[in-house]
Each structure stands twice: as C-alpha cells, then as structure tokens.
Amino acid sequence: MSITSEISEFLQKGRMNNVKELVKKALEDGVSAKEILNEGLISGMMVVGEKFKNNQVYVPEVLIAARAMNAGVELLKPALVSEGVEPVGKAVVCTVKGDLHDIGKNLVKMMLEGVGIECIDLGVDVSGEQVVEAVKQSGAKVICLSALLTTTMTSQKEIIDALTAAGIRDSVRVMVGGAPVTQAYADEIGADAYTPDAASAAQKALEFFA
Ligand code: B1M
C-alpha cells in the first residue's frame, strides 16, 4: 500500500497521531504536499463524507476524522505554500441570525475544507450585514447558510436580500441547509442550492468553483 493510501486509511479511522507521523514521513520521503493532500487527506475525507451521507458513520466519527485531517493539513501548510498550491476557492460559512446550533455548520466547514475550499467561518447568529462585509473583504464566491430552527429559516432569506441590497447577489452562489430546510424552501427564497448534508454541500460547492 502506498504511503498516501495509508494516510487515507488512518484518516478514515480518525487516527490523528498516525496521520501526523505518516504525513511527516511522506514529506521526508519527497512525496509532494499536493499529492499527500489530494491522494491521502482529501481522498480519506471524501470516503468519510460518503459514509456519513449513507448513515454508515455518525457525527463523532466525522469529527475525529476531521480532527486528523486538520492536523495533517497543518503539517502540510508550509510545503503547500512553497509549492504554490492554491485553495480551490473561498467560501463564507455560518449559522444564521437567531440560531446558535453550530454542529452541522462545523461539519459543513470541515467537509468543504476537506475538498480544498478555504472557509471563512463567521460562527453563529450571523446577520446579512456580517455576510455582506465578509464577502466584500474576502472575495468569497460561495456562501453556506445553516439554519436549524423553523423560526430562523427566514434569516436565510434576509441574508439573500442583504446581498441583493448590497449589489453583490450575482457575484456569489448561496447554498442553504439545516434540518428544517428543503429544496422547495431554497427555491422559494432564491438560493442557488440546497444540500441535505455536509458531504453533498462540499460536492456542490466544488461544482460552483469548477
Ligand atoms: Co436545539 N433544537 N434548540 N439545541 N437542537 C433542535 C434543532 C430541535 C429540532 C429539537 C426538537 O425540538 N426536537 C428544535 C427545533 C424545532 C424547530 O424549530 N423545528 C430545537 C430547539 C427548539 C431549540 C431551542 C429553541 C430550545 C430552547 O431553548 N427552548 C434552542 C434554540 C437556541 C438557538 O439557536 N437560538 C436550542 C438549543 C440547543 C442547544 C444549544 C442545547 C444545542 C445546540 C448545541 C450546538 O449546536 N453547539 C441543541 C441541539 C444539539 C439540538 C439537536 C438535539 C441536535 C442538532 C444537531 O447538532 N444535530 C436538535 C434535534 C435534532 O436535530 N434531532 C435540536 C446534528 C447535526 C450534525 O445535524 O445540524 O441538522 P444538523 O446538520 C446536518 C444537516 O442539516 C446539514 O448537514 C449536517 C449533516 O451533514 N446542514 C447543512 C446543516 N447546516 C447546513 C448548511 C448547509 C448545508 C447542509 O449549507 C449549504
């Protein structure tokens, strides 16, 4: 088995220390940071994301895999910068105004990062003005809005309205999600995409950057 496949396997099992050791070893052996990232870390995270989507693994497994992934990425960062590997693109991620649930939002962020998308995480209880400001400052092209309450789904529309009012609606793709959100609701509020889970969100975001 190649060292990148081993990294992928350990990542899927959430074995952070093994991932760190093997990432260091791969770098020492002259494997490029890009290859370690794509063939090891990202490919492992894609497997976890797919299993999560199919209910073969659950939130804790995703969180420990993501922790292993983040540890591996940290070690790769200096080499990635010197190899000139650009992130796929930038996305703003947040839980909308009035809503404090952040577990799903964090999973979305991790999955996006897992496929190479740089995330600007605005946290929870985020207003349209904050999103507009973040988009202007970062140049992000994708926005992921999480809402877990029927009472806060409307904040997703308010954020889309704020983007329109600021004249930047057409320069971004707005993705919505969260337990009470549906495709029909996404269509109604003029979102560009609805995805039911974090893995699909990452896949959809990749399409928007293609
Ligand atoms: Co709250 N809560 N909660 N809660 N909570 C729910 C959501 C609820 C369904 C529980 C219930 O009554 N059965 C209910 C909402 C009812 C409704 O509106 N229909 C509810 C309520 C009522 C409340 C309070 C109002 C309770 C109160 O104070 N009376 C209060 C509100 C606080 C607020 O936000 N202002 C409240 C508070 C809390 C806690 C703080 C205690 C805690 C949150 C802790 C935290 O997040 N740090 C909490 C929790 C944990 C839950 C439940 C139990 C679990 C939510 C969760 O994390 N699920 C939840 C019941 C439930 O869902 N079964 C409940 C796991 C997570 C991985 O799933 O977030 O759905 P989820 O994310 C999924 C997808 O939805 C999708 O990807 C993820 C999986 O891949 N996804 C996206 C999510 N965001 C996305 C964005 C995207 C794409 C996909 O963008 C593109």
Side-chain angles (χ1 to χ4, degrees):
M1 193 192 280
S2 70
I3 192 157
T4 50
S5 302
E6 279 186 77
I7 291 171
S8 168
E9 293 287 329
F10 278 126
L11 184 137
Q12 290 168 47
K13 292 176 188 150
R15 303 263 291 270
M16 182 175 76
N17 288 337
N18 295 96
V19 168
K20 281 165 78 173
E21 271 166 32
L22 284 178
V23 166
K24 279 186 205 155
K25 184 170 186 310
L27 285 170
E28 282 161 16
D29 290 354
V31 183
S32 78
K34 191 175 176 182
E35 192 176 337
I36 300 170
L37 181 70
N38 291 333
E39 310 300 323
L41 301 173
I42 292 182
S43 85
M45 204 61 193
M46 296 288 260
V47 175
V48 174
E50 206 50 39
K51 286 187 175 169
F52 184 52
K53 197 163 82 182
N54 298 326
N55 293 321
Q56 292 167 298
V57 297
Y58 298 96
V59 174
E61 286 96 330
V62 179
L63 292 175
I64 56 167
R67 192 185 57 156
M69 163 112 199
N70 287 333
V73 170
E74 276 307 310
L75 290 171
L76 283 183
K77 262 183 191 163
L80 285 171
V81 172
S82 65
E83 281 177 24
V85 176
E86 295 291 331
V88 175
K90 285 185 198 167
V92 166
V93 181
C94 67
T95 300
V96 298
K97 191 82 193 157
D99 202 319
L100 303 176
H101 296 86
D102 69 356
I103 298 171
K105 181 268 294 173
N106 291 341
L107 285 171
V108 170
K109 178 188 170 193
M110 286 169 193
M111 287 299 171
L112 261 63
E113 289 179 341
V115 297
I117 296 168
E118 184 182 335
C119 290
I120 296 110
D121 182 358
L122 301 182
V124 298
D125 193 19
V126 173
S127 67
E129 290 67 33
Q130 286 172 279
V131 173
V132 166
E133 191 54 33
V135 168
K136 283 184 178 167
Q137 286 201 357
S138 65
K141 294 277 174 256
V142 166
I143 303 171
C144 293
L145 304 175
S146 180
L148 262 286
L149 301 169
T150 43
T151 49
T152 59
M153 289 162 67
T154 49
S155 300
Q156 293 181 326
K157 180 175 184 321
E158 283 164 20
I159 290 174
I160 293 175
D161 291 345
L163 291 163
T164 307
I168 54 173
R169 174 66 187 91
D170 292 340
S171 65
V172 291
R173 300 297 191 112
V174 180
M175 298 172 54
V176 293
V181 181
T182 59
Q183 181 65 57
Y185 183 70
D187 294 341
E188 187 187 317
I189 65 172
D192 296 301
Y194 159 75
T195 52
D197 56 66
S200 324
Q203 289 310 314
K204 193 73 201 174
L206 271 185
E207 285 174 28
F208 286 142
F209 285 116

